[in-house]
Amino acid sequence: MDSLKTLIEKKQYTLVLELTKDTFDIDSISFRIAAYLGLGKLEDALLLIEKHKHEFKEGLFNIMKVHLEVLLTLNKHDQAYEELKYYQSLPYISQEVEEYLSDAELMIRRHERKVRLDKKLNKEEIINILETENEDIILLAALNDIREYKISDFYEVIIRFLKRKSANSHVRTYALFLLVSDGYGKKVAFYKNERDFEVVPKDLEPPFMSSHYEKVIKSIESIAKDPSVSEVAISLLNELIIIIYPDDIFSEKDNLLLGALLIIAYEHLQISHDVMHIAESLNLSLNDLMNVVSKYKHYLQNNPPIKA
């Protein structure tokens, strides 16, 4: 008779289970777990792991990895966090194990986030997320899923969300975009960028639709010359459009906007530049230009982008 290890290698999983049904040493338990996993019987494997996890010595590192991976495969994230705490409470095994345990919480969190993002939310789930969730990427996904339904069904929760000062400015702006795109015709009040706003969404121009947008982009590409500088400057423009909205960034004089974007782009790339030359080439007062640079840098600093 082949050894249990050889039978596992030959994928004789059912035979392994039959041979080990009346044996309870930890090696036999390990092979039973492997057989259940091979057969796709994850719940059975999980029951064995949880019953015998305190008995593993030599193979503890492998079993903790299998344990957490099975829990993630079954989307049992809360249980995975609890089991992680158990493994973290055990005495020191090795530096490799310590590093794995240190990274495991992030692994669980990323898996949990991916599952939530991949799942289409129903109306009740969307409402619950907008009222209780704090993670930006989850909030943004919930707002995006609203487009699968009638936006008007979510007016009240969207308006309440807009008033959440603790929520990321980019995410709240996306909520406002939903009202704008659906032509919501009543006044909406909210606080953003250290001031109060009261707007009627249907009267707002959707972002990136201004005739000035393409003009400014072409000017950036023409003046910057260096593609890396123009790329960063355009990225900054797009970010500031969202941060400043519902104010219109294009209400700024074209050359002031252009000069400020180029200076901040040079700073981001750590490229030396002559601000006086930039001001003179655009027929601008250096003081006026640097005031706009300071204003935009303040917006960017206080409104960090959404982290994936």
Side-chain angles (χ1 to χ4, degrees):
M1 174 68 74
D2 291 334
S3 68
L4 293 175
K5 183 176 184 296
T6 301
L7 290 173
I8 289 292
E9 291 171 351
K10 291 182 176 181
K11 300 184 179 180
Q12 298 293 312
Y13 304 128
T14 303
L15 180 56
V16 169
L17 292 175
E18 180 64 26
L19 292 172
T20 58
K21 65 181 180 180
D22 295 319
T23 54
F24 304 100
D25 62 280
I26 200 62
D27 287 339
S28 296
I29 296 298
S30 296
F31 286 118
R32 286 184 68 77
I33 291 170
Y36 279 132
L37 292 174
L39 291 169
K41 296 183 176 182
L42 302 188
E43 292 286 1
D44 291 316
L46 190 58
L47 285 173
L48 269 182
I49 294 171
E50 290 169 355
K51 183 177 180 180
H52 297 280
K53 64 186 178 185
H54 60 283
E55 299 173 31
F56 288 91
K57 303 300 180 189
E58 294 292 328
L60 180 58
F61 185 26
N62 285 334
I63 207 65
M64 71 171 66
K65 289 193 291 184
V66 170
H67 194 178
L68 293 180
E69 287 167 9
V70 169
L71 288 170
L72 294 187
T73 302
L74 294 171
N75 295 331
K76 296 188 176 187
H77 301 104
D78 291 342
Q79 191 175 343
Y81 286 120
E82 288 302 313
E83 296 298 344
L84 176 60
K85 290 179 183 176
Y86 164 75
Y87 290 119
Q88 288 174 330
S89 71
L90 297 177
Y92 178 86
I93 300 172
S94 69
Q95 185 59 34
E96 184 182 15
V97 173
E98 291 298 308
E99 290 175 0
Y100 173 80
L101 292 175
S102 177
D103 296 336
E105 184 172 351
L106 179 59
M107 175 185 71
I108 298 169
R109 191 182 310 120
R110 284 177 172 168
H111 189 277
E112 182 180 21
R113 178 188 294 169
K114 183 179 185 304
V115 169
R116 295 177 72 178
L117 292 177
D118 289 346
K119 176 187 175 187
K120 180 185 174 183
L121 303 170
N122 61 41
K123 289 184 177 182
E124 291 72 22
E125 289 171 326
I126 291 172
I127 291 169
N128 181 61
I129 286 173
L130 293 181
E131 292 184 337
T132 63
E133 180 62 57
N134 292 314
E135 191 170 355
D136 295 335
I137 197 72
I138 301 297
L139 288 165
L140 195 60
L143 288 167
N144 189 58
D145 275 0
I146 286 177
R147 293 190 180 275
E148 301 293 327
Y149 304 95
K150 287 177 60 178
I151 295 176
S152 58
D153 291 344
F154 297 89
Y155 281 164
E156 290 185 9
V157 71
I158 292 172
I159 292 168
R160 287 198 300 272
F161 179 71
L162 273 172
K163 298 178 184 293
R164 276 182 61 182
K165 295 180 182 179
S166 61
N168 183 293
S169 177
H170 291 75
V171 183
R172 288 198 293 138
T173 301
Y174 188 79
L176 179 59
F177 292 168
L178 290 174
L179 297 180
V180 172
S181 68
D182 206 51
Y184 184 72
K186 298 180 181 180
K187 287 184 179 179
V188 176
F190 56 93
Y191 185 82
K192 182 182 179 185
N193 293 332
E194 302 171 358
R195 54 179 278 226
D196 291 310
F197 284 87
E198 186 175 81
V199 300
V200 177
K202 75 176 183 64
D203 295 337
L204 297 174
E205 182 177 43
F208 306 103
M209 299 295 288
S210 170
S211 59
H212 293 286
Y213 182 67
E214 288 299 328
K215 178 183 176 183
V216 171
I217 286 180
K218 289 179 181 178
S219 296
I220 289 172
E221 293 171 339
S222 173
I223 295 174
K225 301 292 193 284
D226 184 339
S228 62
V229 175
S230 61
E231 183 179 336
V232 171
I234 292 168
S235 176
L236 289 167
L237 172 63
N238 292 336
E239 194 172 341
L240 284 164
I241 286 172
I242 294 173
I243 290 171
I244 293 172
Y245 195 81
D247 282 342
D248 182 6
I249 196 170
F250 299 109
S251 63
E252 200 81 69
K253 291 181 179 178
D254 286 354
N255 282 1
L256 279 173
L257 172 59
L258 180 59
L261 290 170
L262 289 172
I263 288 172
I264 299 173
Y266 285 129
E267 291 180 357
H268 275 227
L269 293 169
Q270 298 183 328
I271 295 175
S272 60
H273 55 285
D274 184 341
V275 294
M276 179 60 77
H277 174 72
I278 292 173
E280 290 177 349
S281 66
L282 294 171
N283 295 316
L284 297 171
S285 153
L286 180 61
N287 186 60
D288 289 346
L289 176 58
M290 295 314 295
N291 282 339
V292 175
V293 168
S294 178
K295 177 176 67 175
Y296 289 167
K297 288 168 73 173
H298 179 74
Y299 280 137
L300 292 165
Q301 182 177 355
N302 289 346
N303 296 276
I306 298 168
K307 295 181 179 180

